[in-house]
Short mmCIF file of all heavy atoms in Angstrom, two decimals:
data_model
loop_
_atom_site.label_atom_id
_atom_site.label_comp_id
_atom_site.label_asym_id
_atom_site.label_seq_id
_atom_site.Cartn_x
_atom_site.Cartn_y
_atom_site.Cartn_z
N ALA A 484 145.42 -18.39 147.63
CA ALA A 484 144.84 -18.84 146.35
C ALA A 484 143.32 -18.68 146.40
O ALA A 484 142.82 -17.66 146.83
CB ALA A 484 145.29 -20.26 146.03
N GLN A 485 142.58 -19.71 145.97
CA GLN A 485 141.12 -19.63 145.97
C GLN A 485 140.53 -19.79 147.38
O GLN A 485 139.33 -19.63 147.58
CB GLN A 485 140.52 -20.69 145.03
CG GLN A 485 141.03 -20.62 143.59
CD GLN A 485 140.94 -19.23 142.98
OE1 GLN A 485 139.91 -18.57 143.06
NE2 GLN A 485 142.02 -18.78 142.37
N GLY A 486 141.38 -20.06 148.34
CA GLY A 486 140.92 -20.23 149.71
C GLY A 486 140.48 -18.94 150.38
O GLY A 486 139.79 -18.97 151.40
N ILE A 487 140.86 -17.80 149.83
CA ILE A 487 140.49 -16.53 150.43
C ILE A 487 139.03 -16.15 150.16
O ILE A 487 138.48 -15.29 150.84
CB ILE A 487 141.41 -15.37 149.97
CG1 ILE A 487 141.17 -15.02 148.50
CG2 ILE A 487 142.87 -15.73 150.20
CD1 ILE A 487 141.88 -13.77 148.04
N ASP A 488 138.41 -16.81 149.22
CA ASP A 488 137.09 -16.39 148.74
C ASP A 488 136.00 -16.37 149.80
O ASP A 488 135.11 -15.53 149.76
CB ASP A 488 136.65 -17.25 147.55
CG ASP A 488 137.53 -17.04 146.32
OD1 ASP A 488 138.41 -16.15 146.34
OD2 ASP A 488 137.35 -17.78 145.34
N PHE A 489 136.04 -17.26 150.76
CA PHE A 489 134.98 -17.29 151.78
C PHE A 489 135.09 -16.11 152.75
O PHE A 489 134.14 -15.83 153.48
CB PHE A 489 134.95 -18.63 152.53
CG PHE A 489 135.99 -18.79 153.61
CD1 PHE A 489 135.65 -18.62 154.95
CD2 PHE A 489 137.30 -19.12 153.30
CE1 PHE A 489 136.60 -18.79 155.95
CE2 PHE A 489 138.25 -19.29 154.29
CZ PHE A 489 137.90 -19.12 155.62
N LEU A 490 136.22 -15.41 152.72
CA LEU A 490 136.39 -14.25 153.59
C LEU A 490 136.02 -12.93 152.91
O LEU A 490 136.11 -11.87 153.52
CB LEU A 490 137.84 -14.19 154.11
CG LEU A 490 138.22 -15.35 155.04
CD1 LEU A 490 139.71 -15.33 155.34
CD2 LEU A 490 137.39 -15.30 156.33
N LEU A 491 135.56 -13.02 151.65
CA LEU A 491 135.07 -11.83 150.96
C LEU A 491 133.72 -11.40 151.54
O LEU A 491 132.90 -12.26 151.91
CB LEU A 491 134.89 -12.12 149.47
CG LEU A 491 136.16 -12.19 148.63
CD1 LEU A 491 135.89 -12.90 147.31
CD2 LEU A 491 136.70 -10.79 148.38
N GLU A 492 133.50 -10.10 151.65
CA GLU A 492 132.18 -9.60 152.09
C GLU A 492 131.11 -10.19 151.16
O GLU A 492 131.28 -10.20 149.95
CB GLU A 492 132.13 -8.07 151.98
CG GLU A 492 132.87 -7.34 153.07
CD GLU A 492 132.10 -7.29 154.39
OE1 GLU A 492 130.91 -7.67 154.45
OE2 GLU A 492 132.73 -6.85 155.37
N GLY A 493 130.06 -10.70 151.74
CA GLY A 493 128.94 -11.23 150.96
C GLY A 493 129.11 -12.66 150.47
O GLY A 493 128.21 -13.20 149.84
N ALA A 494 130.24 -13.30 150.76
CA ALA A 494 130.47 -14.68 150.31
C ALA A 494 129.48 -15.62 150.98
O ALA A 494 129.16 -15.48 152.16
CB ALA A 494 131.90 -15.11 150.61
N LYS A 495 128.98 -16.58 150.18
CA LYS A 495 128.00 -17.55 150.69
C LYS A 495 128.46 -18.97 150.39
O LYS A 495 129.17 -19.21 149.42
CB LYS A 495 126.64 -17.30 150.06
CG LYS A 495 126.07 -15.95 150.46
CD LYS A 495 124.69 -15.73 149.88
CE LYS A 495 124.20 -14.37 150.38
NZ LYS A 495 122.89 -14.07 149.90
N ASP A 496 128.00 -19.90 151.21
CA ASP A 496 128.32 -21.31 150.99
C ASP A 496 127.37 -21.89 149.95
O ASP A 496 126.49 -21.19 149.43
CB ASP A 496 128.31 -22.10 152.30
CG ASP A 496 126.94 -22.20 152.96
OD1 ASP A 496 125.90 -22.10 152.25
OD2 ASP A 496 126.89 -22.38 154.19
N VAL A 497 127.51 -23.16 149.64
CA VAL A 497 126.70 -23.82 148.62
C VAL A 497 125.21 -23.86 148.96
O VAL A 497 124.38 -24.06 148.10
CB VAL A 497 127.20 -25.25 148.31
CG1 VAL A 497 128.57 -25.22 147.69
CG2 VAL A 497 127.18 -26.12 149.55
N HIS A 498 124.89 -23.66 150.23
CA HIS A 498 123.49 -23.66 150.68
C HIS A 498 122.90 -22.25 150.71
O HIS A 498 121.74 -22.07 151.10
CB HIS A 498 123.38 -24.30 152.07
CG HIS A 498 124.01 -25.65 152.15
ND1 HIS A 498 123.52 -26.76 151.50
CD2 HIS A 498 125.13 -26.07 152.79
CE1 HIS A 498 124.29 -27.80 151.75
NE2 HIS A 498 125.29 -27.41 152.52
N GLY A 499 123.72 -21.26 150.32
CA GLY A 499 123.25 -19.87 150.30
C GLY A 499 123.39 -19.14 151.62
O GLY A 499 122.91 -18.01 151.76
N SER A 500 124.04 -19.74 152.58
CA SER A 500 124.26 -19.08 153.88
C SER A 500 125.55 -18.27 153.84
O SER A 500 126.57 -18.74 153.32
CB SER A 500 124.35 -20.11 155.00
OG SER A 500 123.14 -20.83 155.10
N ALA A 501 125.51 -17.09 154.40
CA ALA A 501 126.69 -16.23 154.44
C ALA A 501 127.76 -16.81 155.36
O ALA A 501 127.46 -17.35 156.42
CB ALA A 501 126.29 -14.83 154.90
N PHE A 502 129.00 -16.68 154.94
CA PHE A 502 130.13 -17.11 155.76
C PHE A 502 130.40 -16.11 156.89
O PHE A 502 131.05 -16.44 157.87
CB PHE A 502 131.40 -17.24 154.92
CG PHE A 502 131.46 -18.51 154.11
CD1 PHE A 502 131.37 -18.48 152.73
CD2 PHE A 502 131.65 -19.73 154.73
CE1 PHE A 502 131.45 -19.64 151.98
CE2 PHE A 502 131.73 -20.91 154.00
CZ PHE A 502 131.63 -20.85 152.62
N ALA A 503 129.91 -14.88 156.74
CA ALA A 503 130.23 -13.81 157.71
C ALA A 503 129.84 -14.19 159.14
O ALA A 503 130.62 -13.92 160.07
CB ALA A 503 129.54 -12.52 157.30
N GLY A 504 128.69 -14.80 159.35
CA GLY A 504 128.24 -15.16 160.69
C GLY A 504 129.17 -16.13 161.39
O GLY A 504 129.65 -15.85 162.50
N PRO A 505 129.43 -17.29 160.78
CA PRO A 505 130.34 -18.24 161.42
C PRO A 505 131.76 -17.69 161.62
O PRO A 505 132.39 -17.94 162.64
CB PRO A 505 130.35 -19.44 160.47
CG PRO A 505 129.09 -19.33 159.69
CD PRO A 505 128.78 -17.87 159.60
N VAL A 506 132.24 -16.90 160.66
CA VAL A 506 133.58 -16.32 160.79
C VAL A 506 133.61 -15.35 161.97
O VAL A 506 134.52 -15.39 162.80
CB VAL A 506 134.03 -15.62 159.48
CG1 VAL A 506 135.29 -14.80 159.70
CG2 VAL A 506 134.26 -16.66 158.38
N ALA A 507 132.60 -14.50 162.09
CA ALA A 507 132.53 -13.55 163.20
C ALA A 507 132.43 -14.28 164.54
O ALA A 507 133.09 -13.90 165.51
CB ALA A 507 131.35 -12.60 163.02
N ALA A 508 131.62 -15.34 164.59
CA ALA A 508 131.45 -16.09 165.83
C ALA A 508 132.76 -16.76 166.25
O ALA A 508 133.13 -16.73 167.44
CB ALA A 508 130.35 -17.14 165.68
N LEU A 509 133.47 -17.34 165.31
CA LEU A 509 134.74 -17.99 165.63
C LEU A 509 135.81 -16.96 165.98
O LEU A 509 136.61 -17.18 166.89
CB LEU A 509 135.20 -18.88 164.47
CG LEU A 509 134.39 -20.15 164.28
CD1 LEU A 509 134.75 -20.84 162.97
CD2 LEU A 509 134.58 -21.10 165.46
N SER A 510 135.80 -15.85 165.29
CA SER A 510 136.74 -14.78 165.59
C SER A 510 136.53 -14.27 167.02
O SER A 510 137.50 -14.03 167.76
CB SER A 510 136.58 -13.64 164.59
OG SER A 510 137.50 -12.62 164.84
N ALA A 511 135.27 -14.16 167.43
CA ALA A 511 134.94 -13.72 168.79
C ALA A 511 135.44 -14.73 169.83
O ALA A 511 135.67 -14.36 170.99
CB ALA A 511 133.44 -13.52 168.93
N ARG A 512 135.65 -15.97 169.41
CA ARG A 512 136.16 -17.01 170.31
C ARG A 512 137.68 -17.16 170.22
O ARG A 512 138.26 -18.08 170.76
CB ARG A 512 135.48 -18.34 170.00
CG ARG A 512 133.97 -18.29 170.30
CD ARG A 512 133.28 -19.57 170.00
NE ARG A 512 133.66 -20.59 170.98
CZ ARG A 512 133.31 -21.86 170.88
NH1 ARG A 512 132.56 -22.27 169.85
NH2 ARG A 512 133.68 -22.73 171.79
N GLY A 513 138.32 -16.23 169.50
CA GLY A 513 139.78 -16.20 169.45
C GLY A 513 140.42 -16.79 168.22
O GLY A 513 141.65 -16.80 168.11
N VAL A 514 139.63 -17.27 167.27
CA VAL A 514 140.20 -17.83 166.04
C VAL A 514 140.66 -16.66 165.16
O VAL A 514 139.95 -15.67 164.99
CB VAL A 514 139.17 -18.70 165.29
CG1 VAL A 514 139.74 -19.20 163.96
CG2 VAL A 514 138.74 -19.87 166.17
N ARG A 515 141.85 -16.78 164.61
CA ARG A 515 142.42 -15.74 163.76
C ARG A 515 142.35 -16.20 162.30
O ARG A 515 142.77 -17.31 161.98
CB ARG A 515 143.86 -15.48 164.18
CG ARG A 515 144.54 -14.38 163.41
CD ARG A 515 145.87 -14.00 164.06
NE ARG A 515 146.66 -13.16 163.20
CZ ARG A 515 146.54 -11.84 163.13
NH1 ARG A 515 145.65 -11.23 163.87
NH2 ARG A 515 147.31 -11.15 162.32
N PHE A 516 141.83 -15.34 161.43
CA PHE A 516 141.73 -15.62 160.00
C PHE A 516 142.72 -14.73 159.26
O PHE A 516 142.66 -13.51 159.39
CB PHE A 516 140.30 -15.35 159.50
CG PHE A 516 139.29 -16.31 160.05
CD1 PHE A 516 138.67 -16.08 161.26
CD2 PHE A 516 138.96 -17.47 159.35
CE1 PHE A 516 137.73 -16.96 161.78
CE2 PHE A 516 138.03 -18.36 159.86
CZ PHE A 516 137.42 -18.11 161.08
N GLU A 517 143.61 -15.34 158.48
CA GLU A 517 144.64 -14.59 157.77
C GLU A 517 144.58 -14.84 156.27
O GLU A 517 144.39 -15.97 155.83
CB GLU A 517 146.03 -14.96 158.30
CG GLU A 517 146.22 -14.62 159.76
CD GLU A 517 147.63 -14.90 160.27
OE1 GLU A 517 148.51 -15.27 159.47
OE2 GLU A 517 147.83 -14.73 161.48
N ILE A 518 144.78 -13.77 155.52
CA ILE A 518 144.73 -13.81 154.06
C ILE A 518 146.11 -13.46 153.50
O ILE A 518 146.74 -12.50 153.94
CB ILE A 518 143.69 -12.79 153.54
CG1 ILE A 518 142.29 -13.17 154.02
CG2 ILE A 518 143.74 -12.69 152.02
CD1 ILE A 518 141.24 -12.11 153.74
N CYS A 519 146.52 -14.22 152.51
CA CYS A 519 147.81 -14.02 151.85
C CYS A 519 147.78 -12.78 150.96
O CYS A 519 146.95 -12.66 150.06
CB CYS A 519 148.12 -15.26 151.01
SG CYS A 519 149.56 -15.11 149.95
N GLU A 520 148.72 -11.86 151.21
CA GLU A 520 148.79 -10.63 150.41
C GLU A 520 149.32 -10.88 149.00
O GLU A 520 149.00 -10.13 148.08
CB GLU A 520 149.64 -9.59 151.13
CG GLU A 520 148.96 -9.07 152.38
CD GLU A 520 149.80 -8.09 153.18
OE1 GLU A 520 151.03 -8.01 152.96
OE2 GLU A 520 149.21 -7.40 154.03
N ILE A 521 150.10 -11.94 148.81
CA ILE A 521 150.55 -12.28 147.45
C ILE A 521 149.34 -12.65 146.60
O ILE A 521 149.22 -12.24 145.44
CB ILE A 521 151.58 -13.43 147.47
CG1 ILE A 521 152.88 -12.96 148.13
CG2 ILE A 521 151.85 -13.96 146.06
CD1 ILE A 521 153.90 -14.06 148.37
N THR A 522 148.40 -13.40 147.19
CA THR A 522 147.17 -13.76 146.48
C THR A 522 146.39 -12.51 146.10
O THR A 522 145.89 -12.40 144.98
CB THR A 522 146.31 -14.71 147.33
OG1 THR A 522 147.03 -15.92 147.55
CG2 THR A 522 144.99 -15.02 146.64
#
Side-chain angles (χ1 to χ4, degrees):
Q485 304 309 312
I487 70 171
D488 294 353
F489 79 101
L490 294 172
L491 285 162
E492 284 282 351
K495 295 183 178 180
D496 66 25
V497 294
H498 308 292
S500 298
F502 282 111
V506 169
L509 288 170
S510 182
R512 295 180 71 187
V514 176
R515 183 169 168 85
F516 292 87
E517 298 184 4
I518 297 171
C519 172
E520 291 176 344
I521 292 172
T522 297

